[in-house]
Amino acid sequence: MEALFHNVKELVKRAEDEGKLISEIMIEQEMLLMDRSREDIMKQMDRNLTVMEEAVEKGLKGVHSVSGLTGGDAVLLQKYRETGKSLSGDLLLDAVSKAVATNEVNAAMGTICATPTAGSAGVVPGTLFAVKNKLNPTREQMIRYLFTSGAFGFVVANNASISGAAGGCQAEVGSAAAMAAAAIVEMAGGTPQQSSEAFAITMKNMLGLVCDPVAGLVEVPCVKRNAMGAANSVVAADMALAGVTSRIPCDEVISAMFEIGQSMPSALRETAKGGLAATPTGKWLESKIFGGAVVGSGK
Amino acid sequence: MKFKSVFDIIGPVMIGPSSSHTAGAARIGRVARDLFGRQPKWAKIHLYGSFAETYKGHSTDVAIVGGLLDYDTFDERIKTSFEEARKLGLEFEFIPETGHVEHPNTVKIVIGDERAEMSMMGISIGGGKIEITELNGFPLRLSGEHPAILVVHEDRSGCIANVANCLYKYDINIGHMEVSRKEKGRMALMVIEVDQNVDKEVLDELVELPNITQVTRIAD
């Protein structure tokens, strides 16, 4: 069965030509390719949305990972936000804290919904539940937010990569942030083209991001990278809604991300052998958590 | 297209912390159990590449054992799977390997009990998606995303046609099929990915066909 779209250009064109939302094209493609009913698909996405909501709530109450490397920052951020003194603005800080909440739950082996991966699971729900307070979407619109994110993620996964081991953190948190930006635009009433501009702007600014998890854990710097990914996507969505466009088309940005990922040394692709993982403190934390002496690059 | 469904991107619902190292690992373990047909008594789990380097930190070990106990990616018992396994009498051992493998996240699971033994190689390709690459020495490709039937049979003419005919009778569409054999005229394996789950009556009928040794189903 042939897909309705293979790249962002085709996705946007189809949405524009048929006067449909990007989320609708994604739903129709899912029905077609997977031979499932609309009701069935909507129900499954509704369940995923519930999982995301529960993870955010859990994280905002405060969780800590077994290693002790992460946890509790979502609580700090929410408390600070409540003082009304935040410099970056209420919605932005809300998105950031909710992204952190999700990833803290993930690091603590809680239940999350991978979007597109577990290490990048905070950005899409973090932004969604922050923007929700501003735009007051219906439940269906919230579900559509996930389909719009999914449509763009589908293109990245099939034409580039959403794996940190293959393409660095730009492929995980970079993709998640760009997916979220596109979805925010649709929820805020922007056009399919503006969604693609927001995606391109976000991804351009996450290019080159390496995957260098300390001690090989999905904690440092993953949790905070989700925070910054969420911030990136909110700003990029605003830029696109303001009419700013990307000089480099979306699909070419995705190709560039893939090329960069391919040329990244393996030390910077989830092997925990380079970057922050290889810093003196990173190595010290590794030996503290897993025990034993850490010598050179071997274990 | 490696990723067909939107739920490969927005999903799976899973226990953290890593979709490839935890959720994918649990899925590989579960497929091994499905293929074995029952809970094994012992398991030797060989880890390669990134799995070998980071399995403790990513909870790949508890996830694989959870899968062997038939837990889904979101089953909270994954966290305590080691204790659950011991309670149920499953002995397991992890063997980090240094050998080169094609995919960074590769595991070979050898399981068995007093009746049989089985070995299976699986890779976790990202976002929780997996592929099974080898079964008892037979190379194969199985996405784990579609229901599949595995048919062990004698390498004789008519076998494949009989199986295809039987599936046709039940209106079951074959999405992907591979046939492999170790030696002409000896043991062979059919891997058949289908569009819908297959009822037990179909499996019972398949196993009654001439020269068919064993039929296993992997549900969606």
Side-chain angles (χ1 to χ4, degrees), chain A residues 26 30 33 41 44 48 106 109-112 114-118 146 154 157-158 216-218 270 273 290 299, chain B residues 1-7 9-19 21 53 56-59 62 76 79 127:
Chain A
M26 186 70 246
E30 185 74 10
L33 289 187
I41 294 163
Q44 186 174 351
N48 288 359
N106 180 59
M109 286 192 83
T111 308
I112 54 100
T115 41
T117 64
L146 301 180
F154 177 87
N158 283 309
L217 300 168
V218 193
E270 214 179 333
K273 285 182 175 161
F290 293 117
K299 280 188 195 172
Chain B
M1 258 183 356
K2 270 194 171 171
F3 296 79
K4 236 172 103 182
S5 166
V6 71
F7 296 107
I9 312 295
I10 311 294
V13 172
M14 55 166 282
I15 302 293
S18 166
S19 45
H21 289 68
E53 298 273 352
K56 280 183 188 156
H58 285 103
S59 301
V62 290
E76 300 243 356
K79 285 185 264 187

Side-chain angles (χ1 to χ4, degrees), chain B residues 2-197:
Chain B
K2 270 194 171 171
F3 296 79
K4 236 172 103 182
S5 166
V6 71
F7 296 107
D8 294 338
I9 312 295
I10 311 294
V13 172
M14 55 166 282
I15 302 293
S18 166
S19 45
S20 56
H21 289 68
T22 319
R27 281 180 166 165
I28 293 173
R30 200 170 187 214
V31 170
R33 181 208 168 96
D34 275 343
L35 286 171
F36 193 61
R38 56 190 179 275
Q39 196 201 286
K41 285 266 156 49
W42 56 266
K44 288 188 195 299
I45 300 154
H46 302 261
L47 301 162
Y48 298 85
S50 172
F51 270 3
E53 298 273 352
T54 65
Y55 71 99
K56 280 183 188 156
H58 285 103
S59 301
T60 307
D61 46 5
V62 290
I64 292 172
V65 170
L68 290 173
L69 296 177
D70 206 23
Y71 300 166
D72 212 324
T73 55
F74 52 81
D75 197 315
E76 300 243 356
R77 290 175 297 175
I78 281 180
K79 285 185 264 187
T80 53
S81 69
F82 281 8
E83 291 96 276
E84 306 283 342
R86 290 193 186 104
K87 257 187 265 171
L88 295 167
L90 166 65
E91 301 279 333
F92 55 89
E93 182 188 351
F94 288 92
I95 305 143
E97 303 280 1
T98 49
H100 176 77
V101 279
E102 212 166 289
H103 195 278
N105 300 324
T106 301
V107 56
K108 182 179 179 182
I109 301 177
V110 187
I111 49 179
D113 59 11
E114 58 287 335
R115 284 156 60 196
E117 190 179 318
M118 184 196 102
S119 97
M120 189 195 95
M121 188 94 105
I123 56 175
S124 180
I125 63 167
K129 273 182 78 74
I130 62 162
E131 282 174 13
I132 305 303
T133 54
E134 204 182 294
L135 179 66
N136 289 337
F138 282 109
L140 61 98
R141 295 189 84 76
L142 192 65
S143 69
E145 288 293 315
H146 295 282
I149 311 168
L150 299 186
V151 183
V152 181
H153 62 106
E154 297 291 320
D155 181 34
R156 301 274 190 280
S157 58
C159 252
I160 298 167
N162 285 341
V163 168
N165 269 330
C166 176
L167 294 176
Y168 171 62
K169 196 175 89 183
Y170 287 96
D171 199 24
I172 294 165
N173 187 39
I174 296 174
H176 180 83
M177 179 164 177
E178 275 183 28
V179 185
S180 45
R181 60 184 181 186
K182 278 191 175 152
E183 240 179 284
K184 199 172 164 186
R186 302 293 289 276
M187 192 173 85
L189 177 74
M190 273 181 248
V191 182
I192 307 165
E193 285 198 350
V194 291
D195 292 342
Q196 67 267 59
N197 278 320

Side-chain angles (χ1 to χ4, degrees), chain A residues 107-172:
Chain A
M109 286 192 83
T111 308
I112 54 100
C113 179
T115 41
T117 64
S120 60
V123 181
V124 169
T127 51
L128 169 56
F129 291 110
V131 172
K132 180 191 172 208
N133 296 333
K134 172 97 176 176
L135 300 175
N136 297 313
T138 61
R139 182 83 181 172
E140 186 183 317
Q141 284 172 318
M142 292 176 73
I143 293 166
R144 283 186 176 274
Y145 187 98
L146 301 180
F147 279 110
T148 308
S149 303
F152 282 87
F154 177 87
V155 172
V156 181
N158 283 309
N159 298 339
S161 177
I162 52 167
S163 147
C169 194
Q170 52 163 11
E172 293 203 30

